[in-house]
Amino acid sequence: MKITEKEVRYVADLANLSLSEPEVHKFQADLDEILGHVERLNEIDTTGVEPMAQVLYAGGDTARLRADRERPPLGTETALANAPQPGNGYFKVPKVIER
């Protein structure tokens, strides 16, 4: 495997995730498979192919985006209707960064 257990745990720690042993091994295999696909992509000869930041630019007339139109705002009351802890017109969230 290209990805080590230590690297999986490191990435999980950066994401503030606690992984069980089976999860670590599953992600290790999944990430290894992803890197295998990236390696295959790196083998493709892209000589003469211009880099692009957005695939829709090359789509021309076939590229479809939704119409950009002005709409009325959602409103605080509607936005907070399903919030677990609304307070004073804002979403209250638990503290997640303690380091």
Side-chain angles (χ1 to χ4, degrees), residues 17-56:
L17 298 173
S18 298
L19 300 178
S20 66
E21 280 299 314
E23 289 172 325
V24 168
H25 295 293
K26 180 190 181 321
F27 283 117
Q28 186 177 6
D30 290 349
L31 291 171
D32 197 49
E33 187 176 339
I34 291 168
L35 286 179
H37 288 294
V38 171
E39 276 183 21
R40 287 181 54 210
L41 290 173
N42 285 334
E43 294 171 3
I44 297 172
D45 181 18
T46 57
T47 306
V49 177
E50 290 293 318
M52 49 192 328
Q54 175 53 263
V55 296
L56 291 178

